[in-house]
Amino acid sequence: PVRPIDVRDYNSVYDVMGTEIVSGEVNYLFSGAGALFVVDPKTGKPEDFLQLPIERSLAMVDINLIGQMNVLHAFLNVVRECKARGNVVVVSSIASSIPCGPVHAVYAATKAAVSKLAKDLSSISPDVRINVVSPGSMRTNIGGWDLDFAPLPTGLEAVKKGQDADF
């Protein structure tokens, strides 16, 4: 089943993994945590690295990198404890390997770190396969824009309140 969880909370992630992983079977994990908070919610315009409030940069690090690390750590530990097997697909971004400029610098850095983490963990166990998918630019509202490119709230306020964000 698809289970949305707050990837920033390791204990919640670990608890979900513990209830979902089945001993002796191949278990699948699609880890697609990602956030892009670069749009100023008041002006609707993108902000570069120096204009971006540090809280938004840290929120991207918490979700994109620490969140992915929490998910991988919990999954791999529970798979080991259950003597199970696993296939993992980690979603990164093409931004991890191409110049993106100062507006997307933090996002790109988090995705580069996620790619490196997943690749280095790919040899952790013969019972688990880990692959990285790095899609290119997609027409989504991840960056605070709806599909018609009208500005939307960035979602950061909803993340701070623990609500679902529409992004």
Side-chain angles (χ1 to χ4, degrees), residues 32-38 56-57 59-65 106-108 110-111 142-143 154-156 159 167:
L36 177 64
F37 300 128
V38 297
R56 283 200 248 150
S57 292
M60 285 189 281
V61 172
D62 283 346
I63 294 167
N64 298 357
L65 176 57
V106 174
Y107 175 81
T110 64
K111 291 304 186 172
I142 189 173
T154 64
L156 183 59
V159 169
F167 61 111

Side-chain angles (χ1 to χ4, degrees), residues 41-111:
K42 293 178 183 155
T43 67
K45 295 181 179 177
E47 298 176 304
D48 71 20
F49 179 76
L50 296 177
Q51 298 166 320
L52 191 67
I54 194 67
E55 294 82 15
R56 283 200 248 150
S57 292
L58 293 173
M60 285 189 281
V61 172
D62 283 346
I63 294 167
N64 298 357
L65 176 57
I66 304 303
Q68 289 275 31
M69 190 167 42
N70 286 342
V71 169
L72 288 168
H73 189 273
F75 182 83
L76 293 170
N77 269 310
V78 174
V79 163
R80 181 180 291 165
E81 292 164 9
C82 292
K83 295 182 173 63
R85 294 175 292 146
N87 282 324
V88 179
V89 175
V90 175
V91 178
S92 180
S93 170
I94 195 164
S96 69
S97 60
I98 63 171
C100 295
V103 170
H104 294 99
V106 174
Y107 175 81
T110 64
K111 291 304 186 172

Side-chain angles (χ1 to χ4, degrees), residues 38-46 140-155 157 166-167:
V38 297
V39 175
D40 181 326
K42 293 178 183 155
T43 67
K45 295 181 179 177
T140 71
N141 60 353
I142 189 173
W145 298 87
D146 71 15
L147 295 180
D148 294 322
F149 297 101
L152 291 174
T154 64
E157 292 75 22
D166 182 22
F167 61 111

Side-chain angles (χ1 to χ4, degrees), residues 122-139:
S122 67
S123 62
I124 199 164
S125 167
D127 295 323
V128 178
R129 290 185 345 177
I130 301 175
N131 291 289
V132 178
V133 176
S134 296
S137 182
M138 305 287 290
R139 189 173 184 229

